[in-house]
Amino acid sequence: MSEDLRARVLAYLEKVDKVKSKDIAAALGEKKSDVDKVVKELAKEGKVEFLYIGTSYVKLVK
Amino acid sequence: MAELKTPLLDQLTTGPWPSFVADMKRLVDRKPTVADVLAQLELSYEEKKGHWKHGGIVGVMGYGGGVIGRYSDMPEKFPNVAEFHTMRINQPSGWFYTTKALRDLMKIWDKYGSGLTNMHGSTGDIILLGTVTDNLQPAFDEFSDLGWDLGGSGSDLRTPSCCVGPARCECACIDTLDLCYDLTQEFQDELHRPMWPYKFKIKISGCANDCVASIARADFAIIGTWRDDLKIDQEAVREYVNSGFDIQGVVIDKCPTKCLTWTGSELVLDGSNCVRCMHCINKMPKALRPGDDKGATILVGGKATILQSAFLGWVIVPFMKLEKPYDELKDLLRNIWEWWDEHGKVRERIGELIYRKGMRVFLKDLGMDPLPQMVFRPRANPYFFWWPEEVNQG
């Protein structure tokens, strides 16, 4: 599940500039806590970064 | 520098108590920032109007919280406080420091900031008042090198705090210090990444004396308690009485559920009616002790809120054993956060959300059973509202 979700999260992030992980979860029809875990792993690997603009956004590292 | 004249502030130094004005004036020669803080405050006293602006996105790399941007709305008049940001440092559990740790911390703050602190803020963190944007990262790097971390600010998990617990208190029913540290480590992401509707505070008290006032100030209060009967040393009770202690007036009559009786030679407990309020233990600490089966009561939703009135925490788990790795507690927290994040409005705290949607919705969504201990206030009507699917309409 995690590998599949990783790929889907990365694919979704390709389509947007920045997004809240809550909205990723809604768009993919997944639980937010599962998306949070995947995003956290991707951030540790340097594939995504967080932006803090009032709230926390996620975006791909380009 | 022009002479600093603060006649209104100076009045505060004439009272019987130590004054922050006198303290700050000692720093004025060394720190121009402090002179401008005082001058701006004096102006505020004259005009009866504040001159601080919150806001602006300032912080350190990788963190969304921990720094509060603060600016003067009169930078041309008070250039040294044009930027006056606050840094929050995560305090150690129970606020235990070595003097060396404090000196090292203050040395860094003297180098990069105004030298002013607020030890401690309401949440519990070490509040360092007043630095400029360019100094935030170097100051944080030095704090970090010494093992300090930023606390929470904004819509994130605020720095968890706890009472001194078993380190100094014989009433502690749980290891508040370990639990506070463990939760802080476990929820680093939630602490440093503001992504919720609003702030969320966890406070941990070792017993019902609630020395950190968790029931009133925490969205999630953990209060130590026990499940079996309190322990009575009858010989010690008799010593209290023989030395003139008014056991009837001070203990028996004050017991909120009248579960104690003094026979003249023995203290008798009706354990099933004890509400573990700690009053008798506080009055006779040498004779009474919490029971052996210790754990905690979990309450949710305390704090003076913006949208609704002030709330005390509401019991959601009457008793939970709290032992490492605290999985049951962490799962409960994660479930609450998920529900709050899904349903909460902007700046709506968990207590307000439960108030708005109802405790029964909260419990149902979290898969928890309603329990008698969850009483919000004495019932005013005899009706029970069934869920439609629970009603047998045949």
Side-chain angles (χ1 to χ4, degrees):
Chain A
M1 184 278 286
S2 185
E3 278 304 310
D4 171 54
L5 187 55
R6 269 172 69 97
R8 288 167 61 211
V9 168
L10 285 169
Y12 184 75
L13 287 172
E14 288 282 357
K15 293 189 269 181
V16 293
D17 174 36
K18 63 179 188 303
V19 67
K20 292 180 72 169
S21 61
K22 181 180 176 178
D23 297 326
I24 302 175
L28 301 181
E30 297 286 346
K31 278 178 68 179
K32 180 176 170 290
S33 52
D34 292 337
V35 170
D36 280 345
K37 271 184 211 156
V38 166
V39 167
K40 205 185 295 184
E41 281 170 21
L42 291 170
K44 277 184 190 157
E45 293 166 21
K47 291 183 176 156
V48 305
E49 64 180 327
F50 292 97
L51 294 177
Y52 303 109
I53 311 169
T55 185
S56 300
Y57 292 93
V58 182
K59 71 175 290 184
L60 277 183
V61 174
K62 300 240 167 139
Chain B
M1 187 198 301
E3 194 189 347
L4 179 65
K5 288 187 177 160
T6 56
L8 295 174
L9 285 175
D10 291 345
Q11 290 179 29
L12 298 175
T13 64
T14 60
W17 309 106
S19 164
F20 71 94
V21 177
D23 281 350
M24 287 172 72
K25 283 203 165 178
R26 285 210 295 271
L27 267 178
V28 163
D29 290 338
R30 206 161 55 80
K31 293 279 186 185
T33 307
V34 178
D36 273 8
V37 172
L38 287 168
Q40 183 176 290
L41 186 60
E42 178 74 13
L43 183 65
S44 291
Y45 276 34
E46 283 169 20
E47 297 179 345
K48 297 183 170 53
K49 177 186 166 193
H51 285 287
W52 291 118
K53 293 191 296 182
H54 282 264
I57 296 165
V58 287
V60 299
M61 283 291 288
Y63 285 63
V67 179
I68 301 108
R70 192 157 293 161
Y71 304 86
S72 167
D73 70 357
M74 305 183 79
E76 60 299 325
K77 193 171 170 68
F78 305 110
N80 294 308
V81 290
E83 294 173 355
F84 196 76
H85 310 317
T86 294
M87 294 185 87
R88 288 188 180 159
I89 304 289
N90 194 328
Q91 85 280 12
S93 286
W95 302 283
F96 285 102
Y97 303 93
T98 61
T99 51
K100 181 180 183 310
L102 284 174
R103 283 179 209 285
D104 289 345
L105 195 69
M106 292 306 115
K107 209 177 285 177
I108 298 169
W109 189 235
D110 207 36
K111 181 174 167 189
Y112 292 106
S114 68
L116 299 176
T117 70
N118 172 4
M119 294 284 283
H120 298 85
S122 169
T123 299
D125 329 66
I126 302 161
I127 307 281
L128 304 176
L129 299 161
T131 190
V132 295
T133 310
D134 287 346
N135 281 353
L136 289 171
Q137 190 66 46
F140 169 71
D141 291 343
E142 290 198 25
F143 288 132
S144 194
D145 287 345
L146 291 179
W148 298 95
D149 196 5
L150 292 187
S153 73
S155 299
D156 63 10
L157 173 63
R158 299 303 182 85
T159 314
S161 72
C162 64
C163 69
V164 294
R168 296 193 67 183
C169 179
E170 59 196 1
C171 293
C173 297
I174 50 175
D175 189 342
T176 55
L177 306 164
D178 181 67
L179 178 59
C180 185
Y181 180 74
D182 193 299
L183 294 179
T184 305
Q185 296 300 323
E186 176 82 17
F187 298 120
Q188 288 286 296
D189 264 2
E190 287 76 6
L191 186 53
H192 296 142
R193 193 160 299 146
M195 49 170 46
W196 289 333
Y198 202 21
K199 65 180 86 167
F200 193 95
K201 296 184 178 181
I202 299 174
K203 294 190 191 298
I204 307 161
S205 281
C207 74
N209 284 329
D210 198 11
C211 291
V212 291
S214 64
I215 191 171
R217 303 193 302 147
D219 300 276
F220 191 84
I222 302 165
I223 302 179
T225 190
W226 62 95
R227 198 159 37 177
D228 50 350
D229 288 346
L230 64 87
K231 293 159 81 175
I232 304 173
D233 178 343
Q234 297 292 354
E235 190 51 45
V237 174
R238 284 189 280 273
E239 278 177 31
Y240 269 100
V241 175
N242 292 338
S243 64
F245 180 73
D246 176 14
I247 193 169
Q248 188 65 39
V250 175
V251 175
I252 310 296
D253 293 347
K254 293 286 193 321
C255 175
T257 52
K258 306 287 178 239
C259 70
L260 288 170
T261 316
W262 174 240
T263 64
S265 62
E266 200 163 86
L267 186 64
V268 180
L269 170 75
D270 170 13
S272 60
N273 279 318
C274 172
V275 289
R276 287 120 180 114
C277 72
M278 300 285 298
H279 174 76
C280 56
I281 297 177
N282 293 335
K283 292 299 176 188
M284 297 194 295
K286 290 176 184 168
L288 302 178
R289 283 275 190 281
D292 290 322
D293 189 8
K294 292 170 178 156
T297 299
I298 312 294
L299 303 94
V300 75
K303 188 62 181 124
T305 55
I306 290 173
L307 298 179
Q308 301 290 344
S309 66
F311 295 147
L312 293 179
W314 197 343
V315 172
I316 52 165
V317 181
F319 187 87
M320 182 185 281
K321 280 300 240 190
L322 282 180
E323 284 156 4
K324 269 182 172 301
Y326 310 115
D327 282 339
E328 192 182 353
L329 184 77
K330 289 172 185 172
D331 286 347
L332 176 63
L333 271 167
R334 289 192 182 96
N335 288 340
I336 289 172
W337 289 334
E338 185 140 347
W339 185 77
W340 177 44
D341 208 18
E342 192 177 333
H343 298 284
K345 297 176 183 173
V346 174
R347 289 172 74 83
E348 184 176 46
R349 288 174 74 164
I350 183 73
E352 295 164 298
L353 177 60
I354 294 173
Y355 186 84
R356 177 164 64 85
K357 291 189 81 79
M359 178 56 98
R360 68 186 192 131
V361 175
F362 171 75
L363 293 175
K364 185 167 189 254
D365 288 355
L366 263 71
M368 298 171 76
D369 291 327
L371 297 167
Q373 292 91 335
M374 292 171 180
V375 171
F376 172 49
R377 60 165 70 101
R379 290 181 63 169
N381 70 63
Y383 298 108
F384 180 83
F385 296 91
W386 300 89
W387 292 103
E389 64 269 27
E390 289 175 330
V391 179
N392 182 351
Q393 295 177 333

